[in-house]
Each structure stands twice: as structure tokens, then as C-alpha cells.
Amino acid sequence: MSLSGFTGVEVILAEDEEMFRDMALHAFQTLEWPEDHTHVAEDGLQAIQVLDKIQKEAPSSQVIMFLDVRMPNLDGNECAKRIRDQVKNGTRPVSPFMVCCSANIRDLTDDPKECVDFHMAMPKNFAAAGVLKGCFEKAIAWSGAKGAPSAASSSRPAAKIEIVIADDEEICRMAIMANIDSDETQVEVQDKEEMLEALEAAQSRSGPLLVLLGKPCWAKEIARHSFVRKPYIVNSSAESCEDGFHATLPTPTTHEGIEQILSKACRWWQDGCR
């Protein structure tokens, strides 16, 4: 399989040992992965710096990060956790696809018990038959890249999302609805009882579920219910509040800001609501 046809994707390899870096780069070349879309870091701190640069200069690009589990300064585990926390608190626009590379892993896996803060885990031996190929296939499918000539121009995965807009102020609900595409499934509610009823009704359906919450105190009501179809809860108010929320809607409300939140919600859902 050749990966040269995929566009809009950047790879970050974080490995402190030169021998393993060379092995990985050789494996990338074997799959015809373009060298100019491969970025090398020697620890987790450098990897985050590279990620910052890519997301600033090419925000529509998908990023796949291969992180060695043991590195100086910042190891792969801490690097992945830091990135997830940044996405959760809204300081990073979107998560890269993160792969744990460890000598203790024998086969490619996406088992949450093995991966923890990663999306996948793989053996450190990049030359192992089919492992890197399988990892790329999974990562590119997760990222939504379609391959040349149709580049991955959007950071939002192809997943239908259901949106609950909960606010007791009509003008605030209208401001949000004005910036959401009409083909999105939307439910508008004005009090916490209606919000809970909407979330209960949503349990009979599937797919990502997003709550844009204009009253931060209502988040406690959601937490009291053990919804099987878990909602991605976003603070859409002007109040600064992180408890009970996955993200905060940027102000002022814009179509771009809404799209960023929808992308985060879809990826969170694809990650198993982790």
C-alpha cells in the first residue's frame, strides 16, 4: 500500500533514540510517505512545539503523532495527556491522532486499557509486518482524510451530530442558532427541565450528542443523570466555568467557533467519549 496519495496530513515522530528514529523513518519511506510531511522531535516538548507550529500555519491539516512512551524532558504518556487536557480546556483547537510506541506492546491495538490517553498503541518495532500500515489506515480513517486529489480540508470528521441549545435567554439561543448550519439536528430548550427531557429523548438515537449550555449551573443537573449516550457539554455563556464542561464556546459567537466545537464533539465521540 502506498500512502503518497493522501494529502492534508502531517506526521510527527517523537523518538529520542537515533536508531529507532532511523528505523521509523525507513518504514515511512517504504510506505512512500512524503518526507516533507514528516516532522521529527526528540522528546515530548519538541513534539508539542511542532504540533503548535502545524496547527498555527496549516490549521486544516490532520496530524498523526507517533510518541515514544519513554523520552527525556516529557515522555509520550505525559505529552498525550497534556494535549488532551489542552483540547478539553479549549486552549488547543483540535486533537491530533496520537499513537503510543512501546516495546511492551506486541500488536497494534486501540484497546482503551492499553492506550489510556492515546488513540492507538503499537510496537516500537516500526518494521513489524503490517503494523505501521494498519496504524496509518486507522489514523487516516479517524482523521477523515479521503486521499488525493480530495485533501482533508476540514478538521471535522464526517459524523452526524445532534445539538441541544439550552439557555433561558432567547437572544442567546438565537445568536447560536444563527451560526449553525441548517442541516444540523437542533433542539432549542429554555429551562433545565426541557433540557433533561431533550437528553432523555436523545437516548433512543445514536451518534455524537452536544449540549451548548448557556446556564453553567445546569451542568450539575446533567451530571446527576447517568446517560448512556453521553453528551459533550460546552459552556456557551459569558461566565468563566470549567467544572462539568468539556469545552467553552469562543466569544463572540461565530460560525467558525461553532464548527470548532462540533469538530471537538465529534472527535470526543469517536474516541469513545474519553
Side-chain angles (χ1 to χ4, degrees), residues 7-252:
T7 58
V9 181
E10 302 292 330
V11 167
I12 300 174
L13 169 67
E15 170 61 66
D16 61 311
E17 296 186 50
E18 185 177 1
M19 180 183 71
F20 286 109
R21 284 202 305 272
D22 290 343
M23 287 174 57
L25 292 172
H26 178 72
F28 293 151
Q29 291 173 0
T30 300
L31 290 176
E32 299 180 355
W33 187 256
E35 187 176 345
D36 58 343
H37 290 284
T38 305
H39 312 266
V40 177
E42 295 185 7
D43 58 41
L45 291 176
Q46 288 185 13
I48 288 178
Q49 290 173 355
V50 173
L51 177 62
D52 289 342
K53 187 173 186 293
I54 293 172
Q55 292 189 326
K56 180 180 180 180
E57 297 179 356
S60 64
S61 294
Q62 309 296 338
V63 182
I64 306 172
M65 297 183 77
F66 293 88
L67 301 169
D68 180 20
V69 72
R70 293 182 180 179
M71 293 183 290
N73 301 320
L74 188 69
D75 64 28
N77 288 322
E78 287 300 318
C79 180
K81 184 179 184 302
R82 184 175 299 186
I83 290 171
R84 280 196 180 273
D85 288 344
Q86 290 171 342
V87 173
K88 184 176 180 179
N89 64 31
T91 58
R92 184 172 298 282
V94 68
S95 174
F97 187 88
M98 296 181 287
V99 183
C100 171
C101 305
S102 171
N104 295 324
I105 300 294
R106 294 190 174 185
D107 297 301
L108 184 65
T109 178
D110 58 2
D111 185 340
K113 294 179 181 179
E114 296 277 2
C115 299
V116 190
D117 286 311
F118 296 90
H119 298 94
M120 295 202 78
M122 64 172 285
K124 197 168 181 178
N125 180 10
F126 280 73
V131 170
L132 189 56
K133 173 184 173 182
C135 190
F136 264 83
E137 289 174 339
K138 183 79 173 182
I140 291 173
W142 177 87
S143 298
K146 307 300 182 183
S150 177
S153 59
S154 172
S155 59
R156 182 177 167 191
K160 189 67 176 178
I161 187 167
E162 188 170 353
I163 307 167
V164 176
I165 306 166
D167 200 309
D168 60 356
E169 296 286 345
E170 183 179 12
I171 190 169
C172 295
R173 298 195 304 271
M174 290 175 63
I176 291 175
M177 293 178 68
N179 287 284
I180 298 178
D181 293 335
S182 59
D183 59 344
E184 303 290 354
T185 303
Q186 308 169 41
V187 178
E188 183 185 359
V189 299
Q190 60 184 354
D191 58 48
K192 60 185 177 183
E193 287 75 21
E194 287 186 355
M195 175 189 70
L196 293 174
E197 288 176 3
L199 291 175
E200 288 286 359
Q203 299 305 301
S204 63
R205 298 180 288 274
S206 61
L209 175 62
L210 167 67
V211 179
L212 293 168
L213 196 53
K215 299 291 289 184
C217 59
W218 294 357
K220 295 179 181 179
E221 297 298 325
I222 299 176
R224 292 192 181 103
H225 291 70
S226 299
F227 292 114
V228 175
R229 186 187 178 195
K230 297 180 181 179
Y232 185 85
I233 309 171
V234 176
N235 179 9
S236 60
S237 75
E239 299 178 38
S240 178
C241 182
E242 294 184 3
D243 291 342
F245 292 94
H246 296 96
T248 298
L249 182 66
T251 55

